[in-house]
Amino acid sequence: MRNYRITTVWGIPIRVNISLLVFLPVLAWLIGSGAQIELYAGIVGGLVGTELDLARLQAGTTPWLVGTLAAVGLFVSVTLHELGHAWAAMRYDLEVESITLWILGGLASFKQMPREWNREFWIAVAGPITSILVGVVCYAGLFALPTSATVSLFVVGWLSVTNLVLAGFNMLPAFPMDGGRVLRALLARNRPYASATRIAARIGTFFAVLFAVFGVLSFSPILLLLALFIYAAATGESRTVALSDLLEGLTVGDVARPSALTIDAAASVEDLVDRMFADRSTEFTVTRGGEVVGVVTVADFRALSQAERAADTVGDLMETDLPRLDADMSAFDALVELDTARASAALVEGPDGVHVVSREDFSSAMEMRRLVGTGDPF
């Protein structure tokens, strides 16, 4: 979904997802509803030691004003929470690409997550610590406001309570929430990073199931959405870490295969079919004048009619918009590049010419790593 850049802090773009823009009026209505105002008016009144004027809070359009101020204040608090993560990451010279606010809160995107347990620990806890500090500042602010400022007292008190709840909720060990990342960091002190990630992801999946059950029982779409997010993010990161471990230390030049099976771009499709049967291969590197220019696979001509197969050349069918990668690029980064480009293969440029690397090559490399362990079979 589309994101809108609203400002920049410390060189970090702050973006708002369209889901938040749609959800904010709903959140304002929920906060400003009679039951919520009555509940939190009692809590805030207890904090300041005086009873808030409930009739004034519920009169006319005041509930809408209260709800809007509280909803906006909540996402300002979420932004500060994510900036806490960003500040801690920047202390370790890690690049923060952006902060995005969306329907479930905020996401700070890092160019690369640290694998050192102590760095991940402090980056993870920096967010909840920031929320606690914001909650304490809001609590102190209650005593600076006059008792007649009923709306301001309610909103500031609500933000104080909500920030403390936000900090506590985020510390649940539901990976990849902050508490789950803290758990992985602690597990990684005495076990491999991939193993720590798998354990944390399993616990995160368990929490996702719990949130889904409570979401169904309480008819809460937000809890259901949170459950889906945690499940997808936990399993996705676990898979990513496993891939990264299997490809660690390899460059894309190590993984790329020599261009042994080649076919000229001017060859007919019928010639290609004959070569595929003769060489028992479904994929060929395409050359023109001895230079690698693309890749052709069985899927490229499967839908062609007999007449088209006779008339077309390999050059008409081949994939040419393939990513071009340097042979020294890490294998994992190259695989990410393939996924980003949604390409089936890439051209690898090295000192000995241009080679081709496909998803099957990455699969073969990882399978070899599984069989021989962490040694280098290349």
Side-chain angles (χ1 to χ4, degrees):
M1 288 189 286
R2 190 168 181 180
N3 297 322
Y4 299 92
R5 181 169 173 169
I6 56 173
T7 188
T8 300
V9 178
W10 303 331
I12 305 169
I14 310 295
R15 298 170 179 153
V16 174
N17 185 267
I18 194 170
S19 64
L20 175 59
L21 299 178
V22 173
F23 180 62
L24 266 178
V26 178
L27 181 60
W29 176 78
L30 289 173
I31 297 171
S33 65
Q36 289 290 313
I37 287 183
E38 188 173 348
L39 171 64
Y40 281 98
I43 295 174
V44 175
L47 292 176
V48 296
T50 184
E51 187 174 344
L52 298 186
D53 187 348
L54 191 59
R56 184 175 177 182
L57 288 171
Q58 294 177 326
T61 58
T62 303
W64 270 105
L65 174 63
V66 168
T68 301
L69 291 174
V72 172
L74 172 62
F75 279 92
V76 170
S77 300
V78 170
T79 304
L80 294 174
H81 177 105
E82 297 302 323
L83 284 172
H85 291 306
W87 178 83
M90 292 167 68
R91 297 279 292 180
Y92 291 117
D93 295 324
L94 297 174
E95 184 179 343
V96 185
E97 295 181 325
S98 65
I99 291 174
T100 303
L101 305 177
W102 67 309
I103 189 172
L104 290 180
L107 290 171
S109 299
F110 303 102
K111 189 169 185 179
Q112 185 176 9
M113 285 298 297
R115 289 199 169 202
E116 299 86 355
W117 77 267
N118 57 326
R119 292 189 174 194
E120 180 167 34
F121 176 86
W122 287 112
I123 292 172
V125 299
I129 289 173
T130 303
S131 293
I132 291 172
L133 291 175
V134 172
V136 170
V137 169
C138 289
Y139 176 72
L142 289 173
F143 299 96
L145 293 169
T147 55
S148 58
T150 307
V151 171
S152 297
L153 281 171
F154 179 90
V155 173
V156 173
W158 185 88
L159 288 173
S160 176
V161 173
T162 303
N163 272 280
L164 295 177
V165 171
L166 177 67
F169 182 75
N170 268 280
M171 285 305 293
L172 289 175
F175 186 82
M177 289 169 55
D178 296 338
R181 294 195 179 277
V182 168
L183 173 63
R184 176 170 69 176
L186 296 175
L187 289 170
R189 294 183 65 180
N190 52 20
R191 54 171 47 86
Y193 187 76
S195 174
T197 301
R198 281 195 300 271
I199 295 171
R202 289 192 192 107
I203 295 173
T205 302
F206 170 75
F207 272 94
V209 173
L210 281 183
F211 289 152
V213 170
F214 281 111
V216 170
L217 294 178
S218 61
F219 303 102
S220 172
I222 294 297
L223 271 181
L224 290 173
L225 188 58
L226 180 62
L228 288 172
F229 167 73
I230 290 175
Y231 179 82
T235 54
E237 184 151 353
S238 181
R239 189 179 301 112
T240 298
V241 169
L243 291 175
S244 177
D245 267 23
L246 287 170
L247 294 173
E248 186 177 4
L250 294 179
T251 66
V252 67
D254 296 326
V255 178
R257 66 183 182 275
S259 303
L261 295 177
T262 62
I263 189 166
D264 193 89
S268 69
V269 176
E270 288 185 336
D271 291 337
L272 173 64
V273 174
D274 291 340
R275 284 286 309 278
M276 285 185 170
F277 277 110
D279 294 322
R280 294 177 176 82
S281 176
T282 59
E283 182 175 288
F284 279 80
T285 300
V286 182
T287 60
R288 181 179 285 121
E291 181 184 350
V292 176
V293 292
V295 174
V296 66
T297 68
V298 67
D300 295 323
F301 67 83
R302 185 173 287 162
L304 297 181
S305 66
Q306 289 295 333
E308 288 172 323
R309 291 184 184 185
D312 289 347
T313 66
V314 171
D316 297 326
L317 297 181
M318 68 179 180
E319 296 179 63
T320 55
D321 55 343
L322 301 176
R324 285 187 171 266
L325 311 175
D326 189 90
D328 292 330
M329 175 185 280
S330 77
F332 179 74
D333 289 344
L335 184 57
V336 172
E337 187 79 16
L338 273 187
D339 283 339
T340 303
R342 295 184 178 181
S344 60
L347 302 181
V348 180
E349 298 176 336
D352 57 342
V354 179
H355 299 298
V356 174
V357 66
S358 66
R359 294 179 184 275
E360 290 74 17
D361 296 322
F362 285 103
S363 298
S364 298
M366 288 186 284
E367 186 60 29
M368 290 179 70
R369 276 290 177 90
R370 287 193 190 97
L371 292 174
V372 301
T374 56
D376 186 2
F378 296 89

